[in-house]
Amino acid sequence: MIPYLSSKNQDLLLFAQKRKKEYASAKPFPSIHIHDFFNAELLEEVLAEFPDLSKGDNIEYNDPLQKKFAGQGEALFGEKTKALMHYLNSEPFLKFINELTGIEEQLFSDSYFSGAGLHEIKPGGLLKVHADFNKHPVNNLDRRVNFIVYLNKDWKEEYGGHFELWDKEMSQCVNRFLPVFNSIAIFSTTSISYHGHPNPLTCPADRSRKSLALYYYSNGRPDEEAIAFKDGHNSIFVKRKSDATDSQDWDAYAERKRKKPLLKRIYRKIFG
C-alpha cells in the first residue's frame, strides 16, 4: 500500500514537535501552511477520484458572500479518498493535531464530515472572509481546528484562489498563499480567526479550486475562549475595511434576504 505521508514526516509526533512553536507564534492566529505533506503518488490518485460537485445532489452555496460547492458526507469519496479521510480522522492523526496545536483537551474527529469533506469552487466563485461555526451541529462539541488539503496541480498565481488570514480588526490580510497541490493549511478556529478566499476565482473555465476539509472538536475549551464561544453560532462573515466591493456584496446579500420572505408570501397567496 502507498504510504499516506511524504518521506520527510513519517514520524508525525516528531514532525509536530519540530513545528509546534511555528504554529503557536503564527500571525494573525495559530496556524501553519505546509508543502508536500502527503505522499504525492497517493494524492494523485485522490485527485483522479475527485467528482464534479456542480453535478448531482450536492450542496451549492450561491449568494454574494459565498459561491461554492460541497459534497455531503462521504457518499462521493472514491476508494483512495475514503482511506485518506479515515486516516485523517484516526487516533494517530488526532494525537498529531493535539501535539502540533498545543490544544490540551482531547480532540475528536467528525465521521459525518458535517460541513467538511469535498469542497470545490468554480471560476467566479469565492468565500468571503469569515469565522467558522463553532459547535458541532449534532453533538454540540466545540470546533477547535481546521485541516485543509489542496489538490490543485499546476496552479498559477494569476488564477487567484489565495487562502487569506486576516487580523481581528479586518484592516489587513496578514498571511496568504496559493492553494497548490499537496499543500495543507491547519489553523485554530475561534470566533475571530478570520479567513477566506474573498476574491472571485479567475482560473480557466476548465479548472476549479479543489480541496478536502476536516474539522476537529473538543468537549469544552479554555476559559479565555468561553465568552466568545458561550453560544453556538453559524459562520460569521466580516467586511474587509480596505475593499469597497465587500460593502456592495453585503448590500446585495441583505437585499436578497429581504426579498426571500416576500417571494414566499406571494407563492403561498397564489398556490395556497
Side-chain angles (χ1 to χ4, degrees):
M1 178 180 176
I2 301 173
Y4 293 111
L5 304 171
S6 66
S7 57
K8 66 182 181 181
N9 59 352
Q10 289 293 307
D11 188 332
L12 273 179
L13 289 182
L14 179 61
F15 183 87
Q17 289 162 6
K18 290 180 178 179
R19 306 294 294 268
K20 63 189 302 182
K21 287 184 179 179
E22 177 186 350
Y23 183 93
S25 62
K27 304 298 182 185
F29 45 81
S31 57
I32 197 167
H33 176 224
I34 304 170
H35 287 281
D36 302 320
F37 186 78
F38 293 103
N39 182 304
E41 184 180 350
L42 170 68
L43 217 59
E44 291 269 11
E45 295 181 335
V46 170
L47 175 59
E49 295 177 339
F50 202 101
D52 183 346
L53 295 181
S54 66
K55 300 176 181 178
D57 186 23
N58 298 307
I59 301 170
E60 179 179 6
Y61 301 90
N62 186 15
D63 62 57
L65 305 187
Q66 50 184 341
K67 301 178 188 297
K68 59 177 287 188
F69 297 92
Q72 301 188 59
E74 58 178 70
L76 295 179
F77 290 0
E79 178 185 349
K80 300 297 183 180
T81 305
K82 183 179 292 187
L84 175 61
M85 297 296 267
H86 287 187
Y87 169 70
L88 297 178
N89 274 341
S90 69
E91 178 192 13
F93 206 79
L94 288 170
K95 288 182 175 179
F96 160 72
I97 296 293
N98 262 121
E99 182 67 23
L100 177 69
T101 62
I103 291 174
E104 296 182 358
E105 294 81 10
Q106 183 177 8
L107 290 174
F108 299 91
S109 59
D110 176 22
S111 299
Y112 293 93
F113 300 101
S114 303
L118 304 175
H119 289 176
E120 184 176 21
I121 297 180
K122 298 284 189 176
L126 50 76
L127 180 60
K128 291 290 186 180
V129 179
H130 64 284
D132 291 313
F133 70 84
N134 65 323
K135 298 282 188 178
H136 191 281
V138 177
N139 55 35
N140 209 40
L141 291 176
D142 295 278
R143 183 169 169 179
R144 303 298 300 279
V145 180
N146 281 15
F147 183 95
I148 306 172
V149 185
Y150 294 107
L151 299 172
N152 308 298
K153 297 200 70 177
D154 304 316
W155 196 260
K156 299 179 180 180
E157 186 79 23
E158 58 264 32
Y159 293 173
H162 296 79
F163 180 72
E164 299 187 359
L165 307 179
W166 281 72
D167 62 19
K168 63 182 180 181
E169 292 82 18
M170 288 304 296
S171 60
Q172 64 175 324
C173 173
V174 178
N175 199 2
R176 72 196 292 262
F177 50 83
L178 280 177
V180 298
F181 181 77
N182 204 2
S183 67
I184 63 170
I186 311 173
F187 62 96
S188 297
T189 55
T190 72
S191 56
I192 56 171
S193 57
Y194 296 136
H195 63 281
H197 152 32
N199 299 312
L201 195 62
T202 55
C203 65
D206 62 344
R207 302 290 300 268
S208 64
R209 184 183 188 273
K210 301 177 179 69
S211 61
L212 309 175
L214 297 103
Y215 308 147
Y216 302 108
Y217 298 81
S218 67
N219 184 12
R221 57 193 312 134
D223 289 341
E224 60 266 27
E225 295 180 10
I227 295 176
F229 282 84
K230 191 172 184 178
D231 299 311
H233 62 69
N234 292 325
S235 295
I236 302 171
F237 285 89
V238 286
K239 296 180 184 179
R240 296 170 290 173
K241 291 182 179 179
S242 59
D243 196 302
T245 61
D246 277 2
S247 292
Q248 297 169 9
D249 290 334
W250 255 257
D251 289 345
Y253 180 72
E255 179 67 10
R256 180 171 174 164
K257 289 193 72 174
R258 185 187 68 79
K259 286 182 176 178
K260 274 190 174 181
L262 176 62
L263 291 173
K264 287 181 180 179
R265 289 197 298 271
I266 293 173
Y267 182 88
R268 285 197 297 267
K269 187 174 181 180
I270 296 174
F271 299 101

